[in-house]
Amino acid sequence: MAATVTRTSSAPDLLRSLSTTWDLLLAITLRDIRVRYQGTFLSFIWWIARPLTLGTVLYIALGRVLDLRADVPNYSIFLLSALFPWFWFSGSVSQATGIFVGNSGLLKKVRFPKLILPLSAVLFNTSQFLLTLPILIGFVLVAGIDPELMWLAGIPALMALQLLLLIGLGTLLATLNVFFRDLGPMVDVALLLLFYLSAIIFPLDLVPDEFRPIMALNPVAPLIDAWRNLFLYGEFLDGAIWPALAITAASLALGLFLFNKLEGNFADAV
Amino acid sequence: MIWTQRKGEAFWALSDISLDVTRGEILGVIGANGSGKSTLLRTMVGLSPPTEGTVSVNGRYAALLELGAGFHPDGTGRDNAFVNALFMGLSKQRARELMPEILEFSGLGKFADQPMRTYSSGMYVRLGFAVAVHVQPEILVIDEILAVGDADFQQKCFDHFAELKQQSATIILVTHSMSTLREFADRVIHMEHGRVVNDGDPDAVIDKYMMNRLTASPAARKVFRRSLEAQGLLPEEAVEESTPGGVER
């Protein structure tokens, strides 16, 4: 016998439900932002504290002690222009991975578009990146880099690209995590690994040839490189953008495909 | 896909169920823990698609399968009620309009702007229920939540049921409170091991269920018998007949 669930609905219903879905997504994201930072006086400071602290430590350890400054001009901006997008990436990925499992109560009890959950995790981290972006640009300008016209096209384009990558990756990991709980700790380890494999702290040119193929497998390295090229050299449509685009498309397709296939089992599996 | 494989024998949480609920009906669901009541509700509202068989639903439903679904403990009551209303399918504008009424119904007063982690479980439920009834559902599904509210709030809920019923809303109610069902339900089904074993008039179904429970085990029969004796309701010969297996004194 076939297993089916039917419900009456019509075209206006679908439109209405799309706008309600968007409203719900915004409401959850705003509530989470309020919850996270209510009662902390310096909330905005905490958003930028992580990339700046790590940036300073790395600059001193690698730039001054190991003297990478000799090989990399503008090493401080080299670090910061990679660290800000990196924290957006790692924050979104780790938060999205646990989002279905962490909201099992909701998934078991309320019928709603489940995709909203990973989307809200990504959106939450995106809003943080967006609000801290002026700080990054401020540092770039203070370092004596002239603003480029290309930034006007490049920043929104790279943001859109990374947003789509995170939606794909976040949905994929959150879905798989429902059925394979080891994924959560695995993602934590993987993020640690990716941090070094993303060539955030050293330029890809310095990587010995035998390690290059491993670096090429990394989904964020091209994107991080694209951000850096944009801020350091005003380059946008250079080599780094194409692999980043391909990886984004692949993760979106795979993430949405798996989610679609498996979401029916969520209520029983989480 | 290897992750979805179950180990051991298949367990059917529900089987052989054929059930029609008509518009405007208040259906009570009773049965022991683990008899499949909640699974039945989950299947009805489309959260767990059936492995075999079909479910058809006509109308907008509001699931309130358990208290506190989707509430963030660190969020304020107001914020959470708003998000919850959108989860239930209300538009942003409609939810904004209804917020004063929802908060009024919940009776939270000044606590509405406190984080929900400071709430008692009764306050939690009241807010959840306040949202659910204001969604003006055509189908309201309720899983054992009314026990938590205080007497005043329960009365408010029952008044609201009566109102919803007049608007010919369908209500499906899982509860262990037999008096509630005797008073409000049009029909009660009794579930056991994933099957519907009795279906019909509330008083008849509940009486039989209570009798079964009271005479289900030797220990229960002993207690039942003592209480009848104590009330002087025990004609000697009737008990010998109605308690098979013999009960030692």
Side-chain angles (χ1 to χ4, degrees), chain A residues 111-244:
Chain A
R111 205 164 53 91
F112 67 102
K114 304 180 185 71
L115 203 55
I116 274 185
L117 292 177
L119 288 184
S120 82
V122 171
L123 213 58
F124 174 75
N125 286 278
T126 305
S127 68
Q128 292 195 5
F129 176 76
L130 197 62
L131 286 166
T132 53
L133 190 59
I135 306 287
L136 173 60
I137 293 174
F139 273 101
V140 173
L141 296 180
V142 166
I145 296 174
D146 289 329
E148 300 265 357
L149 207 57
M150 193 55 109
W151 289 5
L152 289 180
I155 292 173
L158 284 184
M159 274 197 77
L161 198 62
Q162 183 160 351
L163 184 61
L164 290 175
L165 172 70
L166 287 171
I167 289 172
L169 216 53
T171 308
L172 178 68
L173 293 171
T175 303
L176 291 179
N177 195 30
V178 172
F179 304 97
F180 181 62
R181 299 293 167 94
D182 294 29
L183 201 64
M186 267 167 67
V187 164
D188 287 341
V189 175
L191 281 174
L192 196 63
L193 212 65
L194 279 187
F195 178 75
Y196 294 100
L197 287 180
S198 298
I200 287 168
I201 51 178
F202 47 80
L204 279 174
D205 317 342
L206 292 188
V207 177
D209 281 342
E210 64 259 45
F211 294 118
R212 288 283 175 86
I214 303 175
M215 307 293 282
L217 290 175
N218 179 350
V220 253
L223 196 65
I224 297 286
D225 231 28
W227 277 110
R228 183 178 282 148
N229 289 347
L230 182 68
F231 279 121
L232 278 181
Y233 315 117
E235 283 174 16
F236 171 44
L237 288 172
D238 64 325
I241 199 81
W242 305 113

Side-chain angles (χ1 to χ4, degrees), chain A residues 62-78:
Chain A
L62 301 170
R64 304 296 287 269
V65 179
L66 295 179
D67 211 19
L68 263 180
R69 279 181 310 165
D71 297 302
V72 188
N74 242 330
Y75 187 62
S76 61
I77 299 306
F78 180 91

Side-chain angles (χ1 to χ4, degrees), chain B residues 21-73:
Chain B
V21 187
T22 53
R23 176 174 289 255
E25 192 170 38
I26 298 188
L27 174 74
V29 184
I30 57 176
N33 293 338
S35 59
K37 302 185 297 292
S38 298
T39 310
L40 178 65
L41 296 197
R42 281 225 303 272
T43 308
M44 281 196 218
V45 301
L47 287 165
S48 301
T51 319
E52 285 176 10
T54 57
V55 178
S56 347
V57 180
N58 275 301
R60 183 163 58 136
Y61 87 98
L64 187 68
L65 293 165
E66 246 173 59
L67 65 108
F71 284 162
H72 193 306

Side-chain angles (χ1 to χ4, degrees), chain A residues 1-8 20 23-24 27-28 31-32 34-35 38 106-112 176 179-180 264 267-268, chain B residues 3 42 45-51 53-58 61 63 65-66 69-70 72 74-75 79-80 83 86-87 90 92:
Chain A
M1 209 181 349
T4 55
V5 180
T6 56
R7 249 159 253 287
T8 49
T20 329
D23 289 345
L24 179 58
I28 298 177
R31 180 194 62 182
D32 288 352
R34 272 207 288 276
V35 162
Q38 80 193 173
L106 207 52
L107 292 171
K108 276 186 198 306
K109 287 158 206 157
V110 186
R111 205 164 53 91
F112 67 102
L176 291 179
F179 304 97
F180 181 62
D268 294 326
Chain B
W3 310 295
R42 281 225 303 272
V45 301
L47 287 165
S48 301
T51 319
T54 57
V55 178
S56 347
V57 180
N58 275 301
Y61 87 98
L65 293 165
E66 246 173 59
H72 193 306
D74 289 330
D79 274 0
N80 274 307
V83 170
L86 297 189
F87 263 123
L90 281 191
K92 193 171 59 183

Side-chain angles (χ1 to χ4, degrees), chain B residues 140-152:
Chain B
L140 184 61
V141 180
I142 301 167
D143 189 356
E144 192 58 73
I145 51 126
L146 297 173
V148 194
D150 60 20
D152 273 357

